[in-house]
């Protein structure tokens, strides 16, 4: 079995006409610190599509989504959007290999630190975060 684990291809072909905004050389969308598409107060972008220095990974997109959600909620309430996203130099990654194995690194006070398979399993390997996402969509 072989897993391609290098390179990123941004799926922004649908924006190449430039009608929303000109794409960068990397085919990403330029955004403000509030994650607005540059030049658009009511249009947001997050995740791989953004021209941010973050790795193109779901964990970073989840943080982007929190900022966008706060800003949209503020605008709906008639308030100015004030949530700001600041890219972090801290790199994190958890790669589970089955429910009890894996490798990863998490931020630590003196830089990224390798974490044992048990930590990867506890945080991600047992259910690949499905319980956390299911809870977001479950009605009480």
């Amino acid at each position: 079995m072989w897993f391609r684990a290098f390179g990123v291809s941004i799926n922004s072909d649908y924006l190449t006409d430039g009608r929303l905004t000109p794409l960068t050389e990397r085919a990403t969308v330029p955004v403000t610190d509030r994650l607005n598409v540059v030049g658009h107060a009511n249009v947001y972008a997050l995740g791989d599509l953004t021209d941010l220095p973050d790795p193109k990974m779901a964990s970073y997109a989840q943080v982007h989504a929190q900022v966008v959600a706060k800003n949209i909620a503020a605008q709906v309430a008639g308030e100015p959007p004030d949530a700001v996203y600041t890219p972090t130099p801290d790199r994190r990654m958890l790669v589970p290999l089955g429910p009890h194995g894996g490798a990863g690194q998490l931020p630590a006070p003196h830089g990224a630190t390798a974490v044992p398979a048990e930590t990867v399993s506890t945080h991600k390997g047992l259910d690949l975060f499905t319980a956390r996402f299911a809870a977001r969509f479950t009605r009480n």
Side-chain angles (χ1 to χ4, degrees), residues 48-67:
D48 294 0
L49 191 62
T50 60
D51 185 28
L52 293 170
D54 299 327
K56 304 305 185 190
M57 296 168 53
S59 65
Y60 294 88
Q62 289 176 37
V63 179
H64 300 171
Q66 292 171 357
V67 170

Side-chain angles (χ1 to χ4, degrees), residues 20 29-32 34-46 68-82:
L20 174 64
V29 173
V31 294
T32 68
R34 287 176 172 74
L35 300 180
N36 292 95
V37 173
V38 170
H40 299 277
N42 298 318
V43 180
Y44 294 88
L46 58 94
V68 169
K70 287 177 185 175
N71 286 333
I72 291 172
Q75 286 182 302
V76 168
E79 300 169 3
D82 61 0

